[in-house]
Structures are given as structure tokens and as C-alpha cells.
Amino acid sequence: MMHANLIGGEWVESPDVMLNVNPSNTDDVVGEYARADANAVDTAVAAAQAAQPAWAEASPQVRHDVLDAAGTAIMARKEELGRLLSREEGKTLAEGIGETVRAAQVFRFFAGECLRQRGEKIDSVRPGVEVEITREALGVIGIITPWNFPIAIPAWKIAPALCYGNAVIFKPAELVPGCAWELARILDEAGLPKGLLNLVIGPGSSVGARIVEHPGIHAVSFTGSVTTGQALAVKCAETQKKVQLEMGGKNPMVILDDADLDTAVSVSVNGAFFSTGQRCTASSRLIVTEKIHDAFVEKLLAATNSLRVGDALDPETQIGPVVDKNQLNQNVSYLELAREEGCEVVGGELLEREHPGHYQAPAVFLGASNDMRVSREEIFGPFASIIKVRDFDEALRVANDTDFGLSAGICTNSLKAASIFRRKSQAGMVMVNLPTAGVDYHVPFGGRKHSSYGPREQGSYAAEFYTVVKTAYIAP
Ligand code: UN1
């Protein structure tokens, strides 16, 4: 069966069809998906513009009920959707189901937010005049999502967009159209009026480019690479679109001498290797003070060695395959670079399993320094640089010495060190004795420097991006 795009409330097929392939077994085709073109974006925008005003003016109860029904439907199908997610993306089944649950929670959270929208009433400086500040929908939002969170990232962009009364043009990553298609169908079946959510699966060069240049789209929320995001922002400025970018990370995890060793190892393994290191919140720099360094490395290597790499759908698997051949080749070239730069590389071998897939062992780069390219560039694989430092002051300096600023972690039992780190970290999110990745769904998410641009995502802070403020002056 061909999976069609959803445009103006109709499921539209296309002569251009692409295959969704399972990275754990490249002989397994997850499905065939219609590829839209730039003209489909134009049709979608026209439908979105026609549908959006009535949606924004509808009772918040109407929007609440649709988002709540979508959240309930996702939750009821968490095993099946989690399986589809793991099959198309390659993260483990537990991670796939966990991410699906997160998507359901996001929809329920924003169902509640529909009912919690409030404004402000302020006395004017002019006697007798009152000022009212309210938030209104922007109009039509372009949503461009990456392959590494096939359901949660679409959820945390689409749910707030709809909550605040907008219509959506949604372009998922071509590597993972399966969850995107199911999400579109769930919203359609949840009673979302026609035209409010348009699914346009297709290449960035045509579909993505048209979203970015279309004058009928008022804002674009993008998660992906720094290069694509920066080019997109420049293009969006030409038509004065609001932009929200979530991009890379080179997140530090600082391990201090007084850390609990088991906690330090478990948060490092989780942060660096879970989801095959394919998270912008991954801990790719483990910055370790000298007294604990050797004991930490010994335990970390033992833990890393015992990780079971395999088919994402096998319940025994802890690390699934790399998403595709391109990413695998890139990983391999970074392993070579790590050696050239003088690191001792432990792990990283390409592995064979029952079916042909992109399997690779996690790797640590021992003896790394913070100025090596492998410690500065986002690799997006199951790798971490181990950077030895003298003390907390140097650790803090190294942690902040990066072009990125998404998430930063510290393992310590010192309240003083933890509070100084929280204050001085130049990252958008700080984790104490917790992995840098794996965030809550109801609080703001985002970073600084090259990691992010524009207002925060998630929680009530999402309103900043998905609404526009109106200030009204009222004389009696
Ligand atoms: C998480 O770590 O829980 O693309 C979320 C990413 C991030 C999401 C990470 N935008 O990896």
C-alpha cells in the first residue's frame, strides 16, 4: 500500500514513491510513501489559509478535544507505533515506545494549554484608559523535523502550533515518514478540521525550500543541522518569517573527583551511547578530573564493552543500528580522524548481525583534548571524547569552550560545585547527576550559541513562538 500525503484534508498520492527502509535489516521495507513536490506545498498553504481563521476562533474546548483525542489515540497504540518507530529509525524498542508515550503526553499537555491561555490587563498611564495584552495565532506554520525523533519532535511542534490556533505544513525527514504519516492520520481521525494539518513528505531541496520561501507561511520551526538551519533562517528573513531553530550539540558531561562512580558511569553511558548517540543532547565530551579519571575510564570501558548492539526490535538490544549508510560512513571517517588527532580509540568496530544493517560498536576516544576536531564537531554517532582536566575550574572552562550550548551535565556530590556549574554553564539546559539527554515534556527545551535560535520549545514557553502579542488600549 502506498502511503499518501495529507493535503487540504485529502490523501493525495504521487507518481514519485520512496521506500522506507529498516536500518536493522536493510532487506526489510517498512513501506512505500508518496513524495510530494513544491506544488503540493502551494496547495497545502492555500488549504491551511482557508481553514485557519475558524480554528483560531473556535472555542478552546474544540481545540482541547482534538489534541486530547490525538494524545489518547497515540497512547492506546504505543506498542505498535513504538515498534514502527524503532523499525524505521533504529532506536531500541524500549526507546521507541518511550518516545511514543512522550508524544502522547505532549498532546495531552497542549490539550490542557488550550484551556489555560490567558492575557494581561494593565492600567494605562493615561487616566481612564485600560491596556489589554493578548496572544493570537500567527497563521500558517511550517514544521520541518529530523529523523532522530520521528514522533516526539513532530508532536512537540505540531501540538503547540494547533493549540494556539495555527494551521500546519509538516515536512518530516525522508528517512522516517512512517511515524509522521501515522501522526497525520491520527489527527485527521481525531476530528481536526480539513486543511489544518498538511503532511508533505519530500526532499528539503524542493518541499523544504518551498516552505521556507512561501509568503503564505508565517513561521518555520526547524530541528536539524546547523548548516541547514542557518541557511533556512537567512531565507526566512526575506519574507519576514518568524524562525525557531534547534540544531546541534557537543554537550559536556563533567565528572568531578567527588562524583559517585556508578552514577558517573551510568549517566555517561546513557548520554553518550543510548539512541546510538543520535541525539542533539548526547554527551559527546566526557570531561573528567584527574583523580577519578583512571577509575572512571576503567568502569566506563567495562560498561561500554558489555552493551549489546543489535536489531532494534530485539528486546535484548541496548544499542540499535546507525540510521543509514551515509551516517555510518561519516562515523567511520570521524573514527579515523580521532586516531589521526592522537586519540586512543576503543571500540567503534562495524558489526555483523543476523540481517544486513548499519551496526557499529560504541567508541570512546581516550586522551582527547578539547581543541581536537572530534571534540568540537557534532558527530551524531555513539562516540565520546574523554578529556582529562586538573580540577573543577578547568572542567568548567572546557565545558563552556564550544560553539554549541544545548545541554551540559555534571556529576558531583558537592552542592557548591553543582550550583556554580548551574550558574556558569553556557548551555540552555543543565543536568546534575543526570544524563544530558532525555528531557521532560512539560518544561522549556532549547540551547544557546549555535545550538538554538529563537524562542524555546515545549511547555508553556512554546507560546512565545506559536503566537503573536496584541496590545489593546481601551477608553470608556
Ligand atoms: C532528548 O534528549 O530527550 O534532536 C530530546 C534531538 C533533540 C531532542 C532531544 N532535539 O536530539
Side-chain angles (χ1 to χ4, degrees):
M1 158 194 151
M2 194 213 297
H3 296 80
N5 283 300
L6 181 62
I7 296 165
E10 308 299 328
W11 291 98
V12 182
E13 298 205 348
S14 155
D16 188 2
V17 176
M18 69 179 196
L19 300 182
N20 182 2
V21 175
N22 176 353
S24 300
N25 176 4
T26 51
D27 291 336
D28 175 32
V29 174
V30 180
E32 294 182 355
Y33 291 80
R35 215 192 229 131
D37 58 14
N39 291 332
V41 174
D42 296 351
T43 313
V45 173
Q49 285 173 324
Q52 186 268 331
W55 177 247
E57 281 164 25
S59 154
Q61 189 70 50
V62 172
R63 295 195 296 276
H64 167 278
D65 290 351
V66 170
L67 296 185
D68 187 55
T72 300
I74 296 168
M75 197 65 97
R77 293 172 56 196
K78 65 179 186 196
E79 309 278 340
E80 173 214 342
L81 294 172
R83 208 177 166 77
L84 168 66
L85 196 167
S86 295
R87 195 170 153 215
E88 69 175 345
E89 197 269 351
K91 65 179 70 174
T92 66
L93 191 52
E95 289 171 330
I97 295 171
E99 186 187 327
T100 306
V101 168
R102 199 199 303 200
Q105 288 165 328
V106 165
F107 271 97
R108 287 179 172 169
F109 176 84
F110 282 105
E113 285 298 276
C114 294
L115 308 174
R116 285 190 287 265
Q117 296 182 43
R118 41 179 104 79
E120 283 179 77
K121 197 168 174 114
I122 293 176
D123 285 338
S124 165
V125 291
R126 283 171 275 171
V129 174
E130 284 183 342
V131 179
E132 273 178 17
I133 304 164
T134 49
R135 288 187 177 273
E136 295 182 1
L138 283 169
V140 182
I141 316 274
I143 287 178
I144 302 179
T145 56
W147 50 260
N148 66 332
F149 282 83
I151 197 162
I153 293 182
W156 78 53
K157 294 183 192 293
I158 292 170
L162 295 174
C163 162
Y164 299 113
N166 302 288
V168 171
I169 313 296
F170 169 36
K171 188 199 101 56
E174 284 200 286
L175 283 174
V176 292
C179 288
W181 187 87
E182 291 291 350
L183 189 56
R185 198 172 64 152
I186 284 169
L187 279 159
D188 192 33
E189 289 176 352
L192 188 70
K194 281 182 189 304
L196 279 169
L197 174 72
N198 298 274
L199 173 70
V200 280
I201 300 166
S205 55
S206 55
V207 171
R210 190 71 187 127
I211 289 175
V212 169
E213 71 195 18
H214 200 298
I217 294 181
H218 305 99
V220 175
S221 181
F222 166 88
T223 298
S225 73
V226 177
T227 358
T228 309
Q230 287 181 343
L232 180 149
V234 169
K235 207 73 198 134
C236 282
E238 287 172 11
T239 43
Q240 283 185 248
K241 288 182 181 61
K242 206 168 169 180
V243 226
Q244 178 180 57
L245 307 177
E246 291 299 341
M247 302 176 287
K250 196 72 193 176
N251 309 293
M253 171 54 74
V254 168
I255 315 289
L256 293 189
D257 290 342
D258 68 5
D260 178 82
L261 195 54
D262 290 334
T263 306
V265 169
S266 89
V267 302
S268 299
V269 165
N270 175 325
F273 306 135
F274 284 11
S275 300
T276 323
Q278 298 173 148
R279 293 185 286 191
C280 57
T281 44
S283 319
S284 46
R285 292 183 298 142
L286 306 178
I287 301 164
V288 192
T289 48
E290 56 191 9
K291 284 202 194 70
I292 200 174
H293 178 271
D294 294 356
F296 172 76
V297 167
E298 192 187 323
K299 262 203 148 165
L300 178 76
L301 290 182
T304 306
N305 255 326
S306 72
L307 289 170
R308 291 181 300 271
V309 180
D311 191 313
L313 298 180
D314 178 343
E316 294 290 298
T317 294
Q318 292 171 293
I319 309 288
V322 172
V323 74
D324 72 352
K325 188 82 193 148
N326 287 339
Q327 184 65 48
L328 189 71
N329 289 341
Q330 187 178 311
N331 289 357
V332 169
S333 67
Y334 272 108
L335 280 180
E336 285 162 14
L337 180 64
R339 284 193 193 93
E340 277 166 31
E341 291 190 298
C343 297
E344 182 193 341
V345 175
V346 184
E349 303 81 11
L350 300 189
L351 305 170
E352 298 212 344
R353 291 294 179 260
E354 190 186 342
H355 299 292
H358 311 296
Y359 297 106
Q360 183 170 33
V364 295
F365 304 157
L366 294 178
S369 75
N370 198 49
D371 51 17
M372 292 175 177
R373 278 181 56 203
V374 290
S375 303
R376 304 203 77 82
E377 298 171 16
E378 182 176 52
I379 303 176
F380 229 58
F383 308 152
S385 294
I386 315 277
I387 303 167
K388 189 174 174 177
V389 292
R390 244 181 350 271
D391 53 17
F392 174 57
D393 286 349
E394 189 183 353
L396 180 62
R397 205 166 49 245
V398 169
N400 283 333
D401 178 12
T402 167
D403 290 339
F404 295 100
L406 186 56
S407 179
I410 187 166
C411 285
T412 178
N413 279 322
S414 154
L415 179 61
K416 187 174 168 198
S419 358
I420 295 175
F421 190 77
R422 179 182 65 75
R423 268 186 285 123
K424 303 246 169 149
S425 168
Q426 293 164 4
M429 298 177 293
V430 173
M431 314 294 190
V432 177
N433 296 321
L434 288 167
T436 54
V439 298
D440 285 5
Y441 65 88
H442 66 309
V443 290
F445 174 91
R448 302 181 186 175
K449 301 185 191 170
H450 287 181
S451 290
S452 304
Y453 187 71
R456 289 285 182 262
E457 301 199 85
Q458 303 194 60
S460 58
Y461 283 63
E464 191 57 40
F465 179 71
Y466 290 100
T467 63
V468 61
V469 167
K470 178 174 279 173
T471 313
Y473 295 80
I474 303 135

